[in-house]
Amino acid sequence: GYFHDPKQVFIVLEKCARGHLYSELCKQGALPQPRAASYLAQIARALRYCHARGVVHRDLKPENVFIAHVHHPETKNLHLHVKIGDMGLATRDVRGTDKGFAGTGGYIAPGLYRWWDGTVDDYNEKCDVWSIGMIFCDLLMPPLFCCLPLPVPP
């Protein structure tokens, strides 16, 4: 559900009892390959949905991927599902606009570091795909890339 006031829309989502992926990685370290592959596939499906509608997330990182328990009545099994959250920097088609640089440290596609000098005009869904790859590395081989320093613009 949702509700709104004159300035904002508030979206009510289900509770993701396991928290975010970052906290799971901090507690557990590298994940087993089957679970990492499952998480990656779920993130990719969610992004495919967003990208098909022209939405670019622009800040994918483990802190923005949430983990929920989902009970499947037909199999009576409990599964872990991931949800992409924090869409605060998400936007529709940033090409040819001045939407500004967005993202977090080690999850930003390398080409975007040229954003500050105005030589980048391809800030699009491919940037989210790069971020997925960095998250996948985190799942299998911590330490987390979010710990890498972000270059300071000139």
Side-chain angles (χ1 to χ4, degrees), residues 6-154:
K7 295 184 180 183
Q8 300 177 46
V9 175
F10 301 89
I11 301 173
V12 180
L13 304 171
E14 78 269 20
K15 180 179 179 181
C16 292
R18 299 232 353 183
H20 49 67
L21 187 54
Y22 178 81
S23 59
E24 182 168 340
L25 289 170
C26 288
K27 288 179 205 166
Q28 187 171 331
L31 299 181
Q33 288 182 6
R35 186 180 321 158
S38 173
Y39 285 177
L40 180 69
Q42 292 176 60
I43 294 167
R45 279 193 301 271
L47 277 181
R48 183 175 56 207
Y49 179 87
C50 292
H51 293 167
R53 286 151 183 78
V55 176
V56 181
H57 189 282
R58 303 195 315 156
D59 194 26
L60 278 175
K61 57 187 176 182
E63 295 93 330
N64 292 340
V65 177
F66 299 91
I67 305 169
H69 290 112
V70 177
H71 179 71
H72 292 280
E74 62 278 356
T75 62
K76 299 184 179 170
N77 290 332
L78 191 65
H79 296 278
L80 297 178
H81 286 220
V82 298
K83 315 274 182 177
I84 295 176
D86 191 357
M87 302 294 283
L89 294 177
T91 187
R92 288 187 173 264
D93 195 6
V94 296
R95 290 170 275 212
T97 65
D98 186 19
K99 297 279 185 169
F101 184 78
T104 300
Y107 300 97
I108 299 173
L112 292 183
Y113 288 115
R114 295 190 328 262
W115 181 271
W116 292 296
D117 65 11
T119 60
V120 174
D121 64 352
D122 58 349
Y123 199 159
N124 55 33
E125 65 280 348
K126 293 175 187 173
C127 301
D128 287 344
V129 174
W130 174 272
S131 298
I132 291 175
M134 300 309 288
I135 291 170
F136 196 51
C137 289
D138 283 344
L139 296 176
L140 297 174
M141 305 175 301
L144 301 174
F145 282 100
C146 62
C147 300
L148 298 175
L150 180 65
V152 178

